[in-house]
Amino acid sequence: MQALILAGGSGTRFWPLSRRSKPKQLLALEGERTLLQATVDRLAPLVPAESVWVCTTREIAGDVAEQLPGVPAEQILSEPEGRDTAAAIGWSVHRIRAAVGDQVVVVLPADHRVGRADAFRATLEEAQRVADGGSVVALGVEPRWAEVAYGYLELGDTLDEATGLRRVARFTEKPNAETAKEFYDSGNYRWNGGIFVFRGSVLLDRLERHQPELAAALEELARRPDAIDELYGKLPRISIDFGVMEHLEDLVTLPLDCEWSDLGGWAALAELLPTDAAGNAVRGSVLAIDAADNLLYADHGTVAAIGVTGMVIIRTGDTVLVVPRERAEEVRLVTEELKRRRNDELL
Amino acid sequence: MQALILAGGSGTRFWPLSRRSKPKQLLALEGERTLLQATVDRLAPLVPAESVWVCTTREIAGDVAEQLPGVPAEQILSEPEGRDTAAAIGWSVHRIRAAVGDQVVVVLPADHRVGRADAFRATLEEAQRVADGGSVVALGVEPRWAEVAYGYLELGDTLDEATGLRRVARFTEKPNAETAKEFYDSGNYRWNGGIFVFRGSVLLDRLERHQPELAAALEELARRPDAIDELYGKLPRISIDFGVMEHLEDLVTLPLDCEWSDLGGWAALAELLPTDAAGNAVRGSVLAIDAADNLLYADHGTVAAIGVTGMVIIRTGDTVLVVPRERAEEVRLVTEELKRRRNDELL
């Protein structure tokens, strides 16, 4: 099995730690390893580093290669520009097939967190078996709350009681709050973990069926790889979810039970970091006095907090962010303001 | 008139900006000039820099000299160790008298703030006239609230209606809250601004009368200046307030009306800095979104605050402090904890 890690993302949710030139996947938010490195680490020994491919952007390809010395340099694929996930996956699968033939591929994000790597690999191994038979498998996470930021997989027929393999009756992107609650209460949905397993030839076939224009453009790119700078920027932009997965009538899902988190922002990270006696999630040099339930994160230097509760305080080498925990996702307001001010050095 | 600036202080109220090696008086908290520089600036032209003396510690004497190129190097007096203000003033007055004879001396702290320098100098000029006649003059600030951290001067007989010169009936150090309220309500008290004006010979006479042991030790030091390392550390420790001023029966006071502040900490500074439309006192590179009534102070780098109210956020090159405005004086808890941890680099 080959692994394709999508590492082209450039979110702002971990600002001021994440920057354009250092997006979330390149950060070691929890331990010593970056999220990208941890993604590769946890695939072994099922998928060793020699069978890992990374699709990323030219801007960060150098950092990606530096962080992953075990991944062959020619397997780090740099997009000239981002054209969303259907193009990235289609292009990469062409490259993988050209290099190693028609194998099973697991495609997965570079910036998620998994608590139990052994359980993760066991599910992946099962998914490999299923995908080898010609199915596209989406790994589904048991919902823990009525999240509105994720896609949902509605469960259909049970195909294998033992492994929990089910048909996907419907694929629904980010529902509104009411719908999310219905989904959650019904018990008949799984979160889309963004991890898909398929034979390369199957994925390309489905792409041709549901996104023929993109498929044709990718075929041309496969024939004229030297013209990438001319051709890549013209690829239609669509996500693999909207462009392919939600159209599949034979999509199946396996349950992924491995303490998964997409680490959607500072508040999510706070749930995962070690806490002190007062419930402060802490990292780095921190002094907390009469302070409770904060995220106190010193990437550089020291954070000293007195008498504050429920705050997120992030100190980097050049910036500090202070925001109430329940408003942490509003950090995008800061990056938007920085864009308006053309303050590029902080973006 | 000679000016003697007491610049040996080492407070912790402006941590993390103030450090052992860079106490408050060496900081430019408001404008471009440090508090020490501003103290010298506002004395001119009444007391030009050539007539300024600074009593400080050996640790910061180099920085003091660098900040005050106009003050003659031999007039920057370095104590081998701090022995409180009675010793510092007595020793310095001996040195001043030896150099320029028996002149009127104004002694003043290096770390206070004055809004109107012209009014300050006018009062000082009047105090010089009074002190020239043999009195010790304490400049008194009209109380603006029932402060417990200051000394109070109880007003006695009026000596000059025009200038507001009054006898001091009693000198009371830091009262409790109840007493402070009585003082404030009575209207018969002034805050002790820590600025005293006297002839050198008069101060030394009063020192001899009320602190004979200290006076004798200072006489010996004047005779054997080369033995300073041996003698200075043995000087009795007492403040000029307790040791001399509160014993004087002929202490007089002039009202000081010049927008005086002792800048007692971050909350006091917040009252003085420019504010944005939401009432945030700001300095440096600051991004405030839906944030009001904070002190947002970026000495290095950027402070970004979202949705926070009434906080003090101070970012220096190596540290950030976050504390509610009304608890800002608890910053001493941090420095105490740092001492316990022997974390000297942050002290």
Side-chain angles (χ1 to χ4, degrees):
Chain A
M1 175 158 56
Q2 304 289 308
L4 169 60
I5 298 174
L6 300 182
S10 63
T12 57
R13 289 156 178 262
F14 284 94
W15 188 91
L17 203 59
S18 65
R19 300 293 171 94
R20 276 181 185 158
S21 61
K22 195 148 192 181
K24 177 186 167 197
Q25 60 270 26
L26 299 183
L27 302 175
L29 289 169
E30 263 190 291
E32 293 304 307
R33 303 285 280 171
T34 67
L35 293 174
L36 173 64
Q37 289 173 324
T39 301
V40 173
D41 292 349
R42 83 172 66 96
L43 287 165
L46 180 64
V47 186
E50 309 89 70
S51 300
V52 168
W53 299 69
V54 183
C55 183
T56 186
T57 61
R58 287 185 179 170
E59 195 175 1
I60 65 165
D63 285 328
V64 167
E66 205 172 287
Q67 288 196 3
L68 302 177
V71 173
E74 64 275 17
Q75 292 175 200
I76 294 172
L77 312 176
S78 300
E79 298 179 280
E81 62 176 278
R83 302 300 296 173
D84 217 329
T85 50
I89 293 171
W91 175 57
S92 301
V93 167
H94 271 288
R95 296 281 298 266
I96 293 170
R97 203 170 55 158
V100 298
D102 185 23
Q103 296 199 23
V104 170
V105 177
V106 52
V107 54
L108 66 175
D111 61 352
H112 289 181
R113 187 230 187 223
V114 163
R116 294 188 298 115
D118 52 351
F120 173 78
R121 283 191 303 273
T123 303
L124 214 54
E125 205 168 359
E126 183 58 31
Q128 180 183 13
R129 266 191 293 274
V130 176
D132 204 36
S135 298
V136 176
V137 188
L139 301 193
V141 178
E142 191 68 37
R144 297 195 291 271
W145 60 85
E147 178 62 57
V148 295
Y150 299 158
Y152 282 75
L153 308 168
E154 184 181 345
L155 298 176
D157 299 342
T158 297
L159 301 174
D160 184 343
E161 198 77 56
T163 61
L165 184 68
R166 304 277 294 262
R167 278 195 199 287
V168 174
R170 200 163 50 113
F171 191 105
T172 310
E173 261 300 291
K174 303 177 184 171
N176 62 28
E178 195 184 347
T179 309
K181 192 171 179 317
E182 273 172 38
F183 287 1
Y184 177 70
D185 289 344
S186 78
N188 199 38
Y189 289 81
R190 289 181 191 148
W191 286 340
N192 172 24
I195 305 171
F196 301 102
V197 189
F198 45 71
R199 275 198 166 281
S201 56
V202 171
L203 188 278
L204 294 179
D205 173 77
R206 301 301 188 273
L207 205 55
E208 205 177 321
R209 199 178 307 172
H210 301 292
Q211 299 296 328
E213 193 192 342
L214 173 60
L218 288 171
E219 289 288 347
E220 188 186 357
L221 187 53
R223 281 193 306 273
R224 300 170 54 207
D226 292 345
I228 186 167
D229 283 0
E230 178 201 336
L231 299 176
Y232 206 91
K234 295 177 189 160
L235 295 178
R237 275 184 193 278
I238 191 161
S239 75
I240 195 75
D241 299 348
F242 281 125
V244 178
M245 298 303 164
E246 73 170 32
H247 301 294
L248 298 186
E249 284 167 12
D250 56 352
L251 185 64
V252 297
T253 178
L254 278 168
L256 181 63
D257 178 14
C258 64
E259 294 169 20
W260 171 91
S261 164
D262 76 337
L263 284 175
W266 290 117
L269 181 64
E271 302 293 330
L272 297 168
L273 287 175
T275 53
D276 67 13
N280 297 300
V282 292
R283 172 144 170 152
S285 170
V286 166
L287 253 161
I289 293 175
D290 192 22
D293 300 324
N294 304 287
L295 169 58
L296 306 173
Y297 195 105
D299 183 60
H300 280 76
T302 296
V303 169
I306 309 172
V308 296
T309 303
M311 302 290 280
V312 166
I313 303 176
I314 313 295
R315 191 188 187 287
T316 69
D318 61 5
T319 304
V320 63
L321 168 70
V322 182
V323 58
R325 205 158 158 163
E326 74 274 11
R327 297 182 66 175
E329 70 182 46
E330 295 181 38
V331 63
R332 70 186 154 69
L333 299 177
V334 174
T335 53
E336 282 164 16
E337 175 64 20
L338 289 170
K339 268 177 216 157
R340 256 193 303 276
R341 294 187 188 182
R342 299 180 194 282
N343 197 337
D344 285 331
E345 72 200 46
L346 290 181
L347 281 168
Chain B
M1 177 159 55
Q2 303 289 307
L4 169 61
I5 298 174
L6 300 181
S10 63
T12 58
R13 290 156 177 263
F14 284 95
W15 189 91
L17 203 58
S18 65
R19 299 294 171 94
R20 275 182 185 157
S21 61
K22 195 149 192 182
K24 177 186 167 198
Q25 61 271 25
L26 298 183
L27 303 175
L29 289 169
E30 263 191 291
E32 292 305 307
R33 303 284 281 172
T34 68
L35 293 175
L36 173 64
Q37 288 173 323
T39 301
V40 173
D41 291 350
R42 84 173 64 95
L43 287 165
L46 179 64
V47 186
E50 310 88 69
S51 300
V52 168
W53 299 69
V54 183
C55 183
T56 186
T57 61
R58 286 184 180 170
E59 197 176 359
I60 64 165
D63 285 328
V64 167
E66 206 172 287
Q67 289 197 2
L68 303 177
V71 173
E74 65 274 17
Q75 291 174 201
I76 294 172
L77 312 176
S78 300
E79 297 179 280
E81 61 176 277
R83 303 299 297 174
D84 218 329
T85 49
I89 293 171
W91 176 56
S92 301
V93 167
H94 270 287
R95 296 282 298 267
I96 293 171
R97 204 173 53 159
V100 298
D102 184 24
Q103 296 199 22
V104 170
V105 177
V106 51
V107 53
L108 66 175
D111 61 352
H112 288 178
R113 185 229 189 225
V114 163
R116 294 189 295 116
D118 51 350
F120 173 77
R121 283 192 302 274
T123 304
L124 214 55
E125 205 169 357
E126 182 58 31
Q128 179 182 14
R129 266 191 291 274
V130 176
D132 204 37
S135 297
V136 176
V137 187
L139 302 192
V141 178
E142 193 67 37
R144 297 194 292 270
W145 60 84
E147 178 63 56
V148 296
Y150 299 158
Y152 282 75
L153 309 169
E154 184 182 346
L155 299 175
D157 299 343
T158 297
L159 300 175
D160 184 344
E161 199 78 54
T163 61
L165 183 69
R166 304 277 293 260
R167 279 194 198 287
V168 175
R170 201 161 51 113
F171 191 106
T172 308
E173 260 301 291
K174 303 176 183 171
N176 61 29
E178 195 184 346
T179 309
K181 192 171 178 317
E182 274 172 37
F183 287 1
Y184 178 69
D185 290 344
S186 77
N188 199 38
Y189 289 80
R190 289 180 191 149
W191 286 341
N192 171 23
I195 304 171
F196 301 102
V197 189
F198 44 72
R199 276 199 165 280
S201 56
V202 171
L203 188 277
L204 294 180
D205 172 77
R206 301 300 188 273
L207 205 56
E208 205 178 322
R209 198 179 306 174
H210 301 292
Q211 298 296 327
E213 194 191 340
L214 174 60
L218 289 170
E219 290 287 348
E220 188 186 357
L221 187 53
R223 280 192 306 271
R224 300 171 53 209
D226 292 345
I228 186 167
D229 283 1
E230 178 202 335
L231 298 176
Y232 206 90
K234 296 176 189 163
L235 296 178
R237 274 185 195 278
I238 193 161
S239 75
I240 196 75
D241 298 349
F242 281 124
V244 177
M245 297 304 165
E246 73 170 31
H247 301 294
L248 299 185
E249 284 167 12
D250 56 351
L251 185 65
V252 298
T253 178
L254 277 168
L256 182 63
D257 178 13
C258 64
E259 293 169 22
W260 171 91
S261 163
D262 77 336
L263 283 174
W266 290 116
L269 181 64
E271 303 293 330
L272 297 169
L273 286 175
T275 54
D276 66 14
N280 296 298
V282 293
R283 170 141 172 157
S285 170
V286 166
L287 253 159
I289 294 175
D290 193 20
D293 300 323
N294 303 286
L295 169 58
L296 305 173
Y297 195 105
D299 184 60
H300 281 77
T302 296
V303 169
I306 309 171
V308 296
T309 303
M311 302 290 280
V312 167
I313 304 176
I314 313 294
R315 191 187 187 287
T316 68
D318 61 6
T319 303
V320 63
L321 167 71
V322 182
V323 58
R325 206 159 157 160
E326 73 274 12
R327 297 183 66 175
E329 70 183 46
E330 295 181 40
V331 63
R332 70 186 154 68
L333 299 177
V334 174
T335 53
E336 282 164 14
E337 176 64 20
L338 289 170
K339 268 178 215 157
R340 258 194 301 276
R341 295 187 188 182
R342 299 181 193 282
N343 197 337
D344 285 331
E345 73 200 44
L346 289 181
L347 281 169

